[in-house]
Amino acid sequence: MNFAIADSIPVVDAGHQLLYPWAGGINFPKFSEIDLNADGLIDLFAFDMSNNRVLTFVNTGTGGIDSYRYAPEYADQFPEMRGWAILYDYNCDGKPDLFSVPVNNNGIMQYRNDSQSGQLIFTLVENQIKADYGGGSFSNILASGFLMPNFDDVDGDGDMDILGQQFFCVGSFAYYKNLSMEQFGVCDSINKYALETYAWGRFALRSGLYSNVAVGTYNSSCTMDQNVPPELYEPTIARRDDTYAQGYTIDIDGDGDKDLLVGDSQATNSLLIINGGTNQLAQMVSEDTLFPSYNTPAVMTSFTTHAYADADHDGKKDLLVGNREFENKHGVLFYRNNGTNSIPIFDVHQNDFLQHEMIDFGEGAAPVFFDADADGLQDLIIGYKSLSIGGGNVESGLAYYHNNGTPTSPAFEFVTRDYAGVVAFSLAPPLIPAFGDLDGDLDVDLLIGSDDGKLYYFNNTAGPGQVAVFVYTAAAYMGIDVGNTAAPQLTDITRDGKLDLLIGEKSGFINFYENIGTSATPFFSNLPTNDTLGGIVVQTTGFPDGYSVPYLFDDDGTFRLIVSSMQGKVFLYSNIDGNLNGSFTLEDTLLSKVQGNKYSFHMTVSGGYLNNDPYLDLVYGLYGGGAQIFLQIDPTSAINETEVHKELVIYPVPASQEVILQWKDQFRHVNIPFTIKDMLGRIISSRIFSGREAIINVSEFPAGIYFICPEQGSPFTTAKFIVLH
């Protein structure tokens, strides 16, 4: 199974067609500059620290215009990374190198940029950058997934120094001086760092309080700077969480030395601390606690990140401020530089940089396809975890995108963020929807899995072939409880014509609940038939959680199961039919076959048929609040007015009154038993076809996608047709 990202499927929101709707959302970005395609223009690299995901955007603008193309093909050329990732040219060859956190989540690993001819190549140079902590004692430079260092030529001598929050002197920034220029006269030497001081700038951050109060007595023993008497270390007025503060150096006042921007896990705004000393001996003397106070302050939810980058391609570096939390489309501030690179003057340009052109519902998106208006086209329903609604408040619910395209060319338009009125019920997020006929009335009902491990039932009262109308009917449906983060799918895995339940969960297992009732009156025991279906457990190495999300589908008469996971991988299993108590076979890791999402954290998966071919398409939900659609590729397919299979031709496609099946000559006298099923696996009819041609009256079928399914063991494959009225 091969897939390609469907980033050309149009999406309209409030009358505006989004430029890159399928980029997947952004939560906690750290931006860096890089020329991705070797065209001489500066592009943007963003590492979303909330879900360990790389996003790459190619510069398509001109002077003063911030225009980009989402380019996932370049994201795949970066190595897998966790925690944080920053680009900085340490060896002065004009190509930014890559720094991130090692697998053990402690320290700094270093990749050299060896890219050539438009191909990105990053070569691992050091798995741990070390420094001399005094007396020739070399140890790893302290950093972690929570403590992101700053890379810059802090002392102005031409090589890359490192500043980082650390554990020994809480509230201060350690300064690791690069001795490459001093010792060798070049800037590219590795592991030539020496700890100069635990308190660069001679200040400390006050913990916990949110008022402007003096730090108090400074712990001068943390300086490790023998050239400066302790009495010269004066406190500043700074209140920040001193454990997880992140610093970013920039010469904001044009005096030739580095000042410091600070964000942290508790405060909601950027702090600017001014250096009144020199490059060689920094001394912080004043601050702007609501930077930039001369303009609109960078006030976010928490933990602001900073980047100095030419976002509008006018030759002057602008300021990009990211946010740790789920500010949906208002989480990246873009301050245009109306001054110079030497003395920048920042004027807020927008608070939704890049985000305003993508689907972004804050945090924890879980999309599924569902024909909400019964027009035969697959719409998009997105469950979301945490959508900011202002004032520090968030909501969880379902968003609805209507498919107003055609059977061959889907196109989506945003309708509402509160589909089915789910927000009012305050269900425990994340919310993961599933659809199926749970009362046998031939319309499709709604189940929502929640963080409490339970399911919530919304009955569709509209009737078959009508626009869905959901009524909240039951909490804790059938007493089912998988413990934490229920991810349901309604599907007939037993092939008995009744919808069963598959439920993923936080621990990474798949729970199977067999329907022991009827199709009209389903009944599920509150205990699973099998709580380790297929022997599947998806977990992240070193972590107990897996957050499995199942999607079972029929592939030419054979079941296959796709499972997404917390670790950002999507697995494909086979050997399912007749083996519900055995171990399924891991067939593939699907994310190795798609672009732009190889290492994303905490994903969901579902599927459907979008473009009138017989091949399953997938929709992924990303922790960054967005979605991505991947179309399955088959180079031999050529589906237009007819749908061609190995054994038959189906026409017209789509149909409104009748569907005609024409069997190939070799099957014209064979009696062929088939069932006709809808998208949810419900049996619509059963019959035996014989002769060369068969006609199916579909005038009473609700609009939608249907499958002609042969009996198990039959040599024939499953075929698909579409009904539109």
Side-chain angles (χ1 to χ4, degrees):
M1 302 178 74
N2 293 299
F3 297 87
I5 189 168
D7 55 359
S8 63
I9 295 177
V11 177
V12 172
D13 188 342
H16 169 67
Q17 182 168 324
L18 304 181
L19 291 179
Y20 21 89
W22 310 109
I26 296 179
N27 267 4
F28 189 18
K30 176 64 176 178
F31 291 96
S32 301
E33 292 182 315
I34 183 173
D35 183 0
L36 294 167
N37 54 359
D39 65 352
L41 302 177
I42 297 300
D43 310 306
L44 276 182
F45 164 95
F47 188 79
D48 190 333
M49 293 183 285
S50 72
N51 61 124
N52 296 309
R53 180 167 176 255
V54 171
L55 294 92
T56 44
F57 297 87
V58 168
N59 178 355
T60 59
T62 56
I65 300 176
D66 51 302
S67 178
Y68 294 90
R69 175 181 67 83
Y70 174 56
E73 64 271 22
Y74 296 104
D76 294 342
Q77 300 177 36
F78 286 85
E80 182 174 5
M81 295 171 290
R82 294 286 186 263
W84 49 264
I86 299 172
L87 295 169
Y88 189 94
D89 182 10
Y90 83 90
N91 58 0
C92 309
D93 65 353
K95 296 184 291 188
D97 307 292
L98 178 64
F99 301 85
S100 188
V101 184
V103 175
N104 65 3
N105 205 35
N106 184 26
I108 303 172
M109 62 192 310
Q110 179 179 23
Y111 295 85
R112 185 180 62 245
N113 187 342
D114 293 327
S115 303
Q116 49 186 316
S117 303
Q119 179 68 33
L120 297 178
I121 302 171
F122 292 96
T123 304
L124 180 63
V125 178
E126 288 290 331
N127 198 52
Q128 290 279 0
I129 299 180
K130 301 181 183 295
D132 186 349
Y133 281 75
S137 176
F138 283 83
S139 297
N140 298 338
I141 292 179
L142 296 176
S144 72
F146 295 103
L147 298 178
M148 180 173 60
N150 179 72
F151 304 94
D152 198 0
D153 180 11
V154 174
D155 57 7
D157 67 353
D159 52 25
M160 183 191 78
D161 308 302
I162 300 175
L163 290 180
Q165 256 277 51
Q166 37 67 50
F167 304 101
F168 180 69
C169 290
V170 176
S172 302
F173 286 87
Y175 169 39
Y176 300 91
K177 179 179 174 59
N178 191 340
L179 300 177
S180 181
M181 291 297 295
E182 285 81 356
Q183 295 186 4
F184 307 106
V186 295
C187 60
D188 64 348
S189 296
I190 301 168
N191 280 329
K192 291 298 178 181
Y193 292 93
L195 176 65
E196 287 285 293
T197 176
Y198 275 119
W200 178 81
R202 295 177 285 177
F203 76 100
L205 303 175
R206 183 180 178 91
S207 175
L209 300 180
Y210 293 96
S211 58
N212 293 335
V213 293
V215 172
T217 303
Y218 181 73
N219 183 4
S220 60
S221 65
C222 294
T223 65
M224 290 191 63
D225 189 343
Q226 303 304 312
N227 298 319
V228 181
E231 61 266 20
L232 295 183
Y233 288 78
E234 299 293 335
T236 66
I237 301 171
R239 75 286 177 269
R240 283 294 186 272
D241 182 287
D242 55 18
T243 306
Y244 298 125
Q246 296 179 355
Y248 186 78
T249 49
I250 178 176
D251 184 7
I252 205 78
D253 54 6
D255 63 353
D257 56 38
K258 300 293 184 179
D259 309 300
L260 187 70
L261 285 168
V262 179
D264 69 70
S265 63
Q266 299 298 318
T268 60
N269 57 280
S270 295
L271 169 70
L272 171 65
I273 307 177
I274 296 296
N275 183 2
T278 64
N279 281 326
Q280 290 72 35
L281 186 60
Q283 172 69 69
M284 302 325 224
V285 296
S286 63
E287 63 180 0
D288 183 348
T289 59
L290 281 173
F291 176 79
S293 58
Y294 58 82
N295 198 266
T296 301
V299 177
M300 311 289 278
T301 301
S302 76
F303 224 148
T304 53
T305 64
H306 307 91
Y308 202 31
D310 185 9
D312 58 2
H313 323 305
D314 65 352
K316 297 183 294 186
K317 289 187 178 293
D318 311 294
L319 182 66
L320 300 177
V321 182
N323 174 46
R324 181 183 183 182
E325 300 296 336
F326 30 77
E327 286 289 346
N328 41 293
K329 289 192 175 182
H330 301 94
V332 183
L333 286 165
F334 170 22
Y335 287 88
R336 193 187 301 275
N337 186 357
N338 289 329
T340 65
N341 285 327
S342 300
I343 306 179
I345 300 174
F346 296 124
D347 181 17
V348 67
H349 176 58
Q350 62 187 111
N351 62 4
D352 55 1
F353 179 64
L354 300 178
Q355 291 177 294
H356 70 296
E357 297 291 353
M358 44 179 97
I359 295 173
D360 191 340
F361 280 91
E363 186 177 71
V368 297
F369 295 122
F370 167 60
D371 186 4
D373 57 353
D375 65 352
L377 302 178
Q378 297 293 287
D379 306 304
L380 186 63
I381 308 297
I382 303 177
Y384 56 88
K385 178 181 178 181
S386 301
L387 179 72
S388 174
I389 56 175
N393 300 312
V394 297
E395 68 180 28
S396 304
L398 305 182
Y400 169 34
Y401 285 82
H402 174 235
N403 185 350
N404 57 11
T406 68
T408 57
S409 299
F412 295 96
E413 183 170 7
F414 173 68
V415 178
T416 179
R417 73 183 192 203
D418 189 20
Y419 183 65
V422 170
V423 170
F425 301 103
S426 300
L427 306 182
L431 306 185
I432 302 176
F435 293 92
D437 184 4
L438 288 171
D439 54 6
D441 61 356
L442 297 183
D443 60 19
V444 180
D445 308 302
L446 168 64
L447 281 182
I448 298 178
S450 74
D451 188 61
D452 61 10
K454 300 179 177 63
L455 305 177
Y456 296 84
Y457 174 38
F458 291 73
N459 180 37
N460 185 358
T461 62
Q466 304 299 313
V467 176
V469 178
F470 293 108
V471 176
Y472 186 32
T473 304
Y477 178 71
M478 296 283 180
I480 293 170
D481 187 350
V482 298
N484 192 285
T485 314
Q489 184 195 7
L490 286 160
T491 183
D492 182 13
I493 194 173
T494 56
R495 297 190 185 272
D496 62 357
K498 301 179 295 184
L499 290 180
D500 308 301
L501 259 173
L502 304 182
I503 308 177
E505 57 167 296
K506 180 181 180 182
S507 61
F509 297 98
I510 305 295
N511 300 267
F512 162 46
Y513 292 80
E514 183 178 1
N515 183 356
I516 56 178
T518 67
S519 58
T521 309
F523 183 78
F524 306 97
S525 170
N526 62 357
L527 297 176
T529 310
N530 186 344
D531 62 359
T532 57
L533 181 68
I536 295 170
V537 55
V538 292
Q539 291 182 339
T540 304
T541 303
F543 296 89
D545 300 333
Y547 290 98
S548 53
V549 180
Y551 183 75
L552 183 82
F553 68 103
D554 190 310
D555 185 20
D556 284 341
T558 301
F559 276 140
R560 303 170 93 181
L561 177 65
I562 298 173
V563 182
S564 62
S565 67
M566 179 179 178
Q567 59 185 296
K569 295 181 179 178
V570 179
F571 305 96
L572 175 66
Y573 296 89
S574 57
N575 188 27
I576 298 168
D577 291 279
N579 189 33
L580 298 185
N581 292 315
S583 295
F584 299 164
T585 300
L586 178 60
E587 188 175 319
D588 202 355
T589 304
L590 294 179
L591 275 183
S592 65
K593 306 286 184 68
V594 302
Q595 288 183 338
N597 223 18
K598 288 171 62 175
Y599 312 118
S600 182
F601 171 80
H602 210 322
M603 298 176 59
T604 69
V605 66
S606 190
Y609 298 84
L610 284 183
N611 56 354
N612 202 26
D613 65 21
Y615 308 107
L616 180 76
D617 308 308
L618 298 179
V619 58
Y620 292 160
L622 282 79
Y623 199 70
Q628 292 187 314
I629 291 176
F630 293 91
L631 301 180
Q632 190 176 164
I633 300 170
D634 188 316
T636 65
S637 67
I639 311 298
N640 192 3
E641 295 301 320
T642 63
E643 192 155 328
V644 182
H645 296 264
K646 296 177 183 177
E647 302 92 8
L648 76 159
V649 174
I650 305 175
Y651 68 95
V653 179
S656 62
Q657 298 298 315
E658 60 186 23
V659 170
I660 300 173
L661 311 180
Q662 289 186 344
W663 299 95
K664 302 294 178 64
D665 287 341
Q666 64 265 39
F667 303 116
R668 65 184 301 171
H669 300 299
V670 178
N671 292 327
I672 307 170
F674 276 87
T675 57
I676 298 176
K677 298 182 179 181
D678 64 8
M679 275 284 294
L680 301 170
R682 299 177 299 187
I683 297 176
I684 305 302
S685 77
S686 300
R687 60 186 69 189
I688 296 176
F689 297 131
S690 60
R692 176 69 188 277
E693 184 176 275
I695 299 175
I696 306 172
N697 184 350
V698 298
S699 61
E700 300 298 322
F701 284 26
I705 298 172
Y706 295 86
F707 299 90
I708 301 174
C709 305
E711 286 187 342
Q712 279 189 276
S714 170
F716 310 114
T717 59
T718 299
K720 177 174 71 74
F721 64 91
I722 297 174
V723 175
L724 293 179
H725 297 299

